[in-house]
Amino acid sequence: MIRTERNSIRFYYSRKKMFLYLLFNLWLLLMATLFTISIFPEYPMVYRFSLFFCLAAVIATVTVLLLNQPVAEIDAAGIRIDRCAKLFWKDVVFADIHKIKSLCGTKKIITFKIKNLSKYKLNFMQKLNKNSQFTAFSIPLYAMDQEERKAIAMAIYQCLNAKPL
């Protein structure tokens, strides 16, 4: 959590969790290399395809790890999640913590219920997620450190003048 010059608070993804994701992607790259060389030596397109996408995942993970991506930036007017369009507090009906079940266990996210979603310009991922458990405006708490989770929930609580999340 960092307080910026515009009197806002910025929260970041956990570097420890991103490092685990990097290790997973490196393992995936190694497995793709070994299996495509041993199983498909006569099909170079399969080899190139699998290595390209695994290498792209490793490069993307290293970039995110080095640049320390912000999850959200909160100020008195609203919240900006993942550098998307700013969500204004006056348009938020309520915020709630949801538990999402996945193959790896239960994950917590903060979702926002919006009065009029059509007036916001959504990016591609927000358009895909607007009718799912991950709403157009949601914060993945599972990708943050424990202290950051508590701090962002408290900041949202204070801005909405609502019950604690």
Side-chain angles (χ1 to χ4, degrees), residues 28 45 108 160 163:
L28 194 64
M45 287 305 290
K108 291 183 180 179
L160 289 176
K163 63 181 175 90

Side-chain angles (χ1 to χ4, degrees), residues 42 57 133 150:
E42 63 275 358
Q133 290 178 328
K150 290 178 183 173

Side-chain angles (χ1 to χ4, degrees), residues 1-4 8-14 68-74 144-145 147-156 158:
M1 176 175 60
I2 295 178
R3 199 167 281 283
T4 64
S8 62
I9 304 169
R10 189 175 292 159
F11 298 92
Y12 292 96
Y13 286 105
S14 170
N68 201 12
Q69 302 296 312
V71 174
E73 186 172 346
I74 299 175
M144 303 170 72
D145 290 327
E147 311 85 48
E148 294 272 312
R149 287 183 212 168
K150 290 178 183 173
I152 197 167
M154 187 57 72
I156 291 170
Q158 289 173 347

Side-chain angles (χ1 to χ4, degrees), residues 25-141:
N25 281 329
L26 288 171
W27 177 81
L28 194 64
L29 178 65
L30 177 68
M31 291 295 111
T33 305
L34 292 175
F35 285 119
T36 54
I37 288 174
S38 63
I39 297 173
F40 302 110
E42 63 275 358
Y43 299 109
M45 287 305 290
V46 172
Y47 177 73
R48 289 184 194 130
F49 180 80
S50 63
L51 286 186
F52 172 75
F53 283 105
C54 290
L55 193 60
V58 169
I59 291 170
T61 307
V62 167
T63 303
V64 169
L65 190 63
L66 293 177
L67 296 181
N68 201 12
Q69 302 296 312
V71 174
E73 186 172 346
I74 299 175
D75 60 14
I79 182 171
R80 182 179 310 272
I81 303 169
D82 284 333
R83 297 182 180 151
C84 294
K86 188 171 192 172
L87 174 63
F88 295 101
W89 296 123
K90 62 182 178 165
D91 295 330
V92 176
V93 177
F94 67 88
D96 195 18
I97 294 181
H98 286 286
K99 291 183 179 178
I100 306 294
K101 293 184 179 178
S102 70
L103 294 174
C104 299
T106 304
K107 300 180 183 297
K108 291 183 180 179
I109 61 170
I110 296 177
T111 57
F112 294 94
K113 174 78 171 144
I114 313 300
K115 288 179 191 171
N116 187 6
L117 190 60
S118 62
K119 75 178 196 177
Y120 286 98
K121 184 177 177 169
L122 304 177
N123 65 17
F124 178 71
M125 284 305 294
Q126 287 177 311
K127 287 178 185 176
L128 285 177
N129 290 330
K130 72 180 179 181
N131 295 322
S132 69
Q133 290 178 328
F134 269 94
T135 61
F137 294 98
S138 59
I139 300 171
L141 294 177

